[in-house]
Amino acid sequence: MTAALRTIITPTATLRLILGWGVFIALQFMGSLLAPPVPLPLLVTALLVIIAVILICAFGVVTEAEHLADRLGDPYGSLVLTISICLIEVILIAAVLLGPGDHATIARDSVMAVSMIILNAVIGLCLLVGGLRHGALTHNRTGVSNYLVMIVVFAALAFAMPALIGTPDGAYESWQEIPIIVVTVGAYVFFLYRQMGPQAHEFTEAVPVGAAAASSSSNAGTSHPSPAEAAVEADDEPQGIVEILSTHRVEIILRLVLLVATVLPIVLLSHDMATLLDDGLGRLGAPVALSGVVIAMIVFLPETLTSLRAAWNGEIQRVSNLCHGAQVSTVGLTIPTVLVIGMLTDQQIVLAESPINLALFAITLLVSVIGFAGKKVTAVQGAAHIIIFVVFGLTLFA
């Protein structure tokens, strides 16, 4: 137990925790000083410090998530980071909804921003990085198609249907909300069950990294492996998830606790950063919606870094598990949660999107379906996704 603690709770991990929680506590004592309007030098300094600490903590989250992913294997490893990040999004939106003021569109704006970041900015960069480094990459088409099917259905329920069957403001009628919640949660739970159970093999790498080199190397000679080599290969066969959890229970629990403890400062500091960003953007005359995009990018940063590293290593299915899985989880968890909060607090939750955002999201889905329908994905497809994200950024200022 002591050896495991020393291996997992390293001096670097401890320093991240002290820094993250220390800055958060310090900001609580500075509450009156950071109340808008904040003097410009203090505003810039506080923003730089908060963003730097968030980035440091984000690297800690990435480290723990990658250790868990290596231990659990896909798709279980990817799910750890995906669901933790999505829970952060849900908590942030719920905190705003339960606070003072009218925030009828906060869920719609946040989920749309996260969706465009995940499906265009992150996947675009991953395809560009992976494609330029490794050439065309082979993904598991069955697994990706499962993700895309759920994304299309959830996007229709979240952004399009409220405008067609809901109120003139773009919200679901009271009697429509319960069926939507039940259907969304039911579909999400069923998807997770199939992903982690009978269809788990569909979310693994289609061509394991290094398999091609190993294959060509083995074909170069005519000799057969010795009995000892065959025994080693047999021992290297992957363990089942139940056996992994049983054998490495202590390590997995400790890493999960450390991951959550490192994620929480990111969430808590995001609130202070949002207030300062609103103040700063207001002085610059920038659109307020831009602060939501910035927050979404930083909250999703841990998964972005992990996805880019996977793309650098040529693990394109892991990129899909992280990004497409995050999109499914974001909508599958967020929309039912905010609808429940709306019913309990008697708030109207506006979900229907603007025509321009619906058009951009439809183009995103079309490019995703066409691109991942092929046997391989390329850097050109990544460039297309990045273009869509740039146009989405331009619409914020329109």
Side-chain angles (χ1 to χ4, degrees):
M1 181 68 175
T2 305
L5 281 172
R6 290 175 181 173
T7 305
I8 297 169
I9 306 179
T10 61
T12 303
T14 304
L15 181 61
R16 288 192 185 103
L17 289 175
I18 294 173
L19 191 60
W21 286 102
V23 170
F24 169 70
I25 293 171
L27 289 174
Q28 304 314 299
F29 287 103
M30 297 174 60
S32 58
L33 294 176
L34 296 178
V38 182
L40 187 59
L42 180 59
L43 174 66
V44 173
T45 303
L47 266 178
L48 290 176
V49 170
I50 291 173
I51 291 174
V53 172
I54 287 177
L55 289 173
I56 291 171
C57 290
F59 278 103
V61 174
V62 170
T63 300
E64 298 310 316
E66 288 183 341
H67 282 303
L68 285 168
D70 290 339
R71 178 63 69 195
L72 298 174
D74 270 337
Y76 312 103
S78 300
L79 279 173
V80 172
L81 184 57
T82 295
I83 294 181
S84 65
I85 296 299
C86 291
L87 285 175
I88 292 172
E89 293 292 336
V90 171
I91 292 169
L92 286 174
I93 295 172
V96 174
L97 282 174
L98 295 173
D102 182 18
H103 304 284
T105 64
I106 182 64
R108 179 197 69 187
D109 297 340
S110 300
V111 174
M112 175 56 71
V114 171
S115 299
M116 298 304 285
I117 290 170
I118 294 173
L119 296 179
N120 288 314
V122 180
I123 286 184
L125 285 173
C126 288
L127 293 181
L128 198 60
V129 168
L132 292 176
R133 179 172 167 81
H134 300 281
L137 294 167
T138 303
H139 56 287
N140 196 324
R141 286 192 288 177
T142 306
V144 177
S145 68
N146 284 324
Y147 283 129
L148 293 177
V149 165
M150 298 302 297
I151 290 171
V152 170
V153 172
F154 283 168
L157 291 176
F159 303 130
M161 295 307 294
L164 300 175
I165 65 174
T167 67
D169 295 331
Y172 279 116
E173 300 280 1
S174 299
W175 62 272
Q176 295 170 336
E177 291 179 342
I178 293 179
I180 293 298
I181 292 170
V182 172
V183 167
T184 304
V185 173
Y188 179 68
V189 171
F190 180 70
F191 173 80
L192 284 185
Y193 161 71
R194 296 296 299 182
Q195 183 186 19
M196 293 186 292
Q199 294 179 237
H201 62 282
E202 296 172 359
F203 299 89
T204 57
E205 295 293 335
V207 179
V209 178
S215 175
S216 59
S217 175
S218 63
N219 290 334
T222 56
S223 60
H224 298 282
S226 66
E229 292 172 336
V232 171
E233 291 178 1
D235 291 338
D236 288 341
E237 290 182 2
Q239 296 175 297
I241 187 62
V242 175
E243 187 178 354
I244 292 174
L245 292 174
S246 176
T247 306
H248 306 283
R249 180 175 60 254
V250 173
E251 177 190 353
I252 291 171
I253 291 175
L254 287 175
R255 290 201 181 279
L256 282 172
V257 170
L258 184 56
L259 185 147
V260 173
T262 312
V263 162
L264 284 176
I266 298 176
V267 178
L268 299 172
L269 290 172
S270 294
H271 286 283
D272 296 302
M273 189 191 70
T275 303
L276 295 173
L277 270 178
D278 286 341
D279 188 9
L281 292 175
R283 298 183 190 186
L284 295 174
V288 177
L290 189 61
S291 63
V293 175
V294 174
I295 293 171
M297 291 178 70
I298 291 179
V299 170
F300 196 71
L301 181 61
E303 202 151 0
T304 300
L305 296 175
T306 306
S307 300
L308 286 172
R309 186 170 298 181
W312 181 262
N313 293 331
E315 300 170 333
I316 195 61
Q317 185 58 41
R318 179 155 167 73
V319 170
S320 176
N321 290 343
L322 290 166
C323 296
H324 292 137
Q327 177 64 23
V328 172
S329 299
T330 296
V331 185
L333 290 173
T334 304
I335 299 305
T337 301
V338 297
L339 288 177
V340 168
I341 293 174
M343 288 190 297
L344 294 176
T345 59
D346 198 26
Q347 294 186 64
Q348 186 182 54
I349 305 298
V350 176
L351 295 176
E353 261 296 354
S354 63
I356 180 61
N357 281 347
L358 281 177
L360 285 174
F361 202 86
I363 294 170
T364 298
L365 294 177
L366 182 62
V367 171
S368 298
V369 170
I370 294 174
F372 284 93
K375 293 182 179 180
K376 297 183 178 182
V377 289
T378 66
V380 172
Q381 295 163 6
H385 281 287
I386 292 175
I387 291 172
I388 299 172
F389 182 73
V390 171
V391 175
F392 171 70
L394 293 177
T395 64
L396 295 175
F397 299 90

